[in-house]
Amino acid sequence: MKHSANSSSIEDYVKVIYAYTEWQDKPITSSALATRLGVANSSVSEMVRKLKDQGLVDHEPYSPIHLTAKGLTLALSMVRRHRLLETYLVRELGYSWDEVHDEAEQLEHAVSENFIERMSAKLGHPSRDPHGDPIPDAQGGITMVPSHRLDELDPGHTGRISRISDHDPELLRHLESIGIGVDTLVTVLGQPRFGAGLQIALPQAKNDAGPLTLSDEVAASLWLASEGSHPDCSVQEVTGGSLMNPYTAAR
């Protein structure tokens, strides 16, 4: 599959638009899109007009950007490529989870559909990548694990880390150094008595050094899938749990 720089840019845009809203309900704006892509607002405005002309997004001036059914189909195809490549790099080539994002960004535009499907079969058709993000299936279906962002949970919540934002490799290295990864069992203890942040316990840690205090940035980068319940829980709704199909679920 040979891609032009123009088609690669289109694929990058729809993928970022999708990823921004995958774990939250807030739609993306042009300024947020510019920040995510590291480009000027004027460049985003020009590309969004092109995406709209091609039927990939719905957008009106000064309004958020939404993918159309056609745009969502393309976005999920690129997300599948990216996350399968990340998984392959970690499992088969020995990359660490903080190295794979940039490599996958380069490879996802270059490989064929046949290569992607053979790689998926080689990996056993995984349902999530090394950071816990769901991998769409070949038909565009995607299952979200019911989860909450860690900093939204009240004290007493126990569950396993279901997803870790991969936006910052240094953050991933920090989490690994303190024993936190996908599927790590965590109990939320709440704010420290004196100071900021969020205290957690790791019930299955081999060397229990007591509670860990996470900064606000770290806590906002972790998602937890709850296990069981606790008295007086104030959290009722969860993010995820549905199967999305771009042919029926897109706007």
Side-chain angles (χ1 to χ4, degrees):
M1 178 185 296
K2 187 174 181 181
H3 278 61
S4 67
N6 184 53
S7 63
S8 295
S9 294
I10 289 172
E11 290 167 350
D12 285 339
Y13 267 76
V14 295
K15 185 181 66 169
V16 170
I17 293 169
Y18 169 78
Y20 185 87
T21 58
E22 185 174 39
W23 290 90
Q24 62 173 356
D25 294 330
K26 182 181 178 182
I28 196 167
T29 62
S30 294
S31 58
L33 185 54
T35 299
R36 283 291 182 106
L37 290 165
V39 299
N41 286 337
S42 57
S43 297
V44 167
S45 297
E46 181 180 350
M47 180 58 79
V48 169
R49 283 195 294 270
K50 183 178 296 185
L51 295 176
K52 184 176 180 179
D53 289 344
Q54 294 187 17
L56 297 171
V57 301
D58 288 328
H59 180 250
E60 299 299 332
Y62 311 109
S63 298
I65 303 161
H66 298 279
L67 292 171
T68 62
K70 180 181 177 182
L72 180 56
T73 299
L74 177 59
L76 287 170
S77 172
M78 296 310 300
V79 166
R80 173 173 170 79
R81 286 170 165 266
H82 183 92
R83 293 175 182 173
L84 280 171
L85 284 163
E86 286 192 335
T87 306
Y88 185 83
L89 291 169
V90 169
R91 289 193 193 177
E92 302 295 329
L93 299 185
Y95 279 70
S96 60
W97 68 339
D98 58 294
E99 298 177 306
V100 294
H101 179 76
D102 289 343
E103 290 279 16
E105 286 283 312
Q106 297 295 319
L107 292 168
E108 66 192 35
H109 302 294
V111 296
S112 69
E113 201 64 38
N114 183 50
F115 181 91
I116 290 294
E117 295 314 314
R118 289 195 176 199
M119 184 170 58
S120 179
K122 170 72 173 177
L123 293 168
H125 302 294
S127 60
R128 58 179 181 169
D129 72 8
H131 313 103
D133 281 315
I135 299 175
D137 64 28
Q139 291 71 46
I142 187 165
T143 302
M144 303 287 291
V145 176
S147 304
H148 272 292
R149 214 170 69 181
L150 199 63
D151 60 348
E152 298 173 343
L153 295 172
D154 54 9
H157 247 89
T158 293
R160 295 188 181 274
I161 297 297
S162 58
R163 188 250 178 175
I164 300 173
S165 174
D166 65 350
H167 73 282
D168 185 348
E170 187 174 348
L171 170 65
L172 294 175
R173 290 190 287 271
H174 169 68
L175 290 170
E176 189 169 32
S177 72
I178 61 176
I180 295 178
V182 175
D183 291 333
T184 298
L185 186 65
V186 169
T187 297
V188 179
L189 302 179
Q191 287 187 319
R193 184 178 178 187
F194 303 105
L198 180 71
Q199 282 193 321
I200 64 169
L202 306 180
Q204 296 180 340
K206 293 181 180 179
N207 299 315
D208 186 9
L212 286 174
T213 300
L214 306 179
S215 69
D216 293 339
E217 179 184 0
V218 172
S221 299
L222 301 171
W223 275 254
L224 188 102
S226 296
E227 293 186 355
S229 59
H230 66 278
D232 302 320
C233 177
S234 63
V235 179
Q236 296 181 356
E237 296 182 356
V238 293
T239 299
S242 61
L243 181 68
M244 180 188 296
N245 185 309
Y247 303 103
T248 59
R251 57 180 58 242

